[in-house]
């Protein structure tokens, strides 16, 4: 069984899914994706990292890290589930906000699909969400129609939750600087993560896009009493939008469908 230690992105879990050869080579060439932190089960002492790291480095080298040691390796999470929502589903959160910035130029939604599958298998949890409007070329001019979607979560206990899903995508309404960067870098906002050395124009373009998406979703809800009430309004608006779209399709002449 998978360990229940949080955060879920610790390397002892990823070691379950990552081959020992991969772990060995990544450690050997210092292409390491995490850091050793105090084990939350042991309490947080004065030391924030191991004093003698050879034993931990060896465990990392051979993929043998575990949740039994005073320190655990916390990684970036891409080894197992890339959206950092698995443990939130385990906790049956009422609202989960995901910001998906993975490299997904084909808009295949691999991270979201993986999350839906593993949560259904592991927790008996059903996630339903429509992301068709987020795909590139969803509109006639080749842009995405929207940059976020709202879905429903049904837990195995019958409890429900709301999933607010933000996707790195463009509608063509972004500001001039972002669209200029897009024109000279067609892969944006899904450039390869192989290049970790961001230029200023690249960094600012991603920052502006992320800020604009966040504002689009939450600006009108900033006076709500809680995130739960804000999410309920988003979910209600999403259901109304989808119902209107279905009615429009039904009313359209057959030749226009």
């Amino acid at each position: 069984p998978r360990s229940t230690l949080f955060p879920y992105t610790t390397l002892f879990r990823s070691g379950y899914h990552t081959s020992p050869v991969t772990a060995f080579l990544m450690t050997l060439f210092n292409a390491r994706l995490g850091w050793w932190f105090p084990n939350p089960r042991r309490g947080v002492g004065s030391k924030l990292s191991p004093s003698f790291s050879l034993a931990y480095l060896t465990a990392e080298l051979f993929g043998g890290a575990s949740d039994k040691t005073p320190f655990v390796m916390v990684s970036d999470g891409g080894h197992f589930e890339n959206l950092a929502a698995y443990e939130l589903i385990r906790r049956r959160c009422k609202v989960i906000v995901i910001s998906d910035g993975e490299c997904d130029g084909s808009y295949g939604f691999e991270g979201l699909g993986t999350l839906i599958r593993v949560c259904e298998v592991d927790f008996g949890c059903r996630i339903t969400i429509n992301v068709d409007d987020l795909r590139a070329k969803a509109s006639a001019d080749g842009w995405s129609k929207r940059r976020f979607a709202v879905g429903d979560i049904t837990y195995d206990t019958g409890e429900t939750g709301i999933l607010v899903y933000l996707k790195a995508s463009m509608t063509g309404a972004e500001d001039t600087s972002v669209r200029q960067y897009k024109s000279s870098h067609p892969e944006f906002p899904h450039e390869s993560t192989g290049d970790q050395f961001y230029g200023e124009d690249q960094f600012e373009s991603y920052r502006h896009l992320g800020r604009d998406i966040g504002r689009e979703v939450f600006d009108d809800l900033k006076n709500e009493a809680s995130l739960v009430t804000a999410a309920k309004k988003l979910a209600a608006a999403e259901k109304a939008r989808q119902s209107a779209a279905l009615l429009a399709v039904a009313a359209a002449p057959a030749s226009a469908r």
Side-chain angles (χ1 to χ4, degrees):
R2 297 191 177 106
S3 170
T4 57
L5 178 66
F6 63 92
Y8 80 99
T9 51
T10 47
L11 189 59
F12 62 82
R13 172 167 288 159
S14 72
Y16 181 84
H17 300 272
T18 306
S19 74
V21 174
T22 301
F24 182 89
L25 291 175
M26 292 179 70
T27 305
L28 183 65
F29 291 103
N30 201 30
R32 299 154 67 201
L33 301 176
W35 196 264
W36 289 95
F37 284 98
N39 189 332
R41 285 179 173 168
R42 302 287 189 94
V44 179
S46 58
K47 294 181 179 179
L48 297 180
S49 59
S51 299
F52 181 71
S53 58
L54 182 59
Y56 292 98
L57 183 62
T58 302
E60 186 178 349
L61 185 66
F62 294 102
S66 77
D67 60 342
K68 309 300 183 186
T69 54
F71 293 89
V72 291
M73 167 59 79
V74 180
S75 80
D76 76 337
H79 308 277
F80 168 56
E81 184 272 301
N82 212 28
L83 301 181
Y86 183 88
E87 288 297 334
L88 301 178
I89 294 290
R90 183 199 295 277
R91 289 162 175 75
R92 302 191 184 98
C93 292
K94 293 293 185 183
V95 179
I96 297 175
V97 179
I98 292 176
S99 177
D100 184 358
E102 67 181 348
C103 182
D104 185 19
S106 64
Y107 288 83
F109 297 90
E110 180 180 357
L112 181 61
T114 298
L115 174 70
I116 292 172
R117 283 191 296 272
V118 298
C119 288
E120 185 169 9
V121 171
D122 290 2
F123 306 133
C125 168
R126 180 72 176 169
I127 300 173
T128 55
I129 185 169
N130 187 331
V131 295
D132 287 346
D133 285 348
L134 277 63
R135 301 181 189 277
K137 300 182 180 179
S139 61
D141 53 8
W143 300 98
S144 300
K145 287 184 179 178
R146 307 179 76 220
R147 301 183 295 190
F148 75 96
V150 182
D152 297 317
I153 308 170
T154 304
Y155 295 106
D156 60 338
T157 59
E159 299 173 88
T160 59
I162 299 170
L163 174 63
V164 182
Y165 177 76
L166 285 62
K167 180 71 171 179
S169 53
M170 297 179 64
T171 61
E174 291 75 18
D175 66 34
T176 302
S177 64
V178 175
R179 292 191 63 177
Q180 181 279 323
Y181 185 84
K182 169 72 172 176
S183 67
S184 56
H185 300 82
E187 299 85 5
F188 176 83
H190 297 287
E191 295 171 284
S192 170
T193 55
D195 180 8
Q196 293 288 304
F197 299 97
Y198 274 35
E200 183 176 354
D201 57 344
Q202 185 181 27
F203 180 88
E204 286 299 309
S205 297
Y206 279 100
R207 186 181 70 84
H208 274 269
L209 180 62
R211 179 198 62 189
D212 291 348
I213 295 173
R215 285 177 174 174
E216 178 186 355
V217 178
F218 296 110
D219 254 10
D220 293 339
L221 304 169
K222 57 188 176 185
N223 294 323
E224 294 298 324
S226 68
L227 180 60
V228 173
T229 57
K232 286 181 178 178
K233 282 196 171 183
L234 281 174
E238 178 74 2
K239 286 180 171 59
R241 188 189 69 82
Q242 291 182 5
S243 296
L246 289 174
L247 288 173
V249 170
S255 58
R257 294 178 191 174

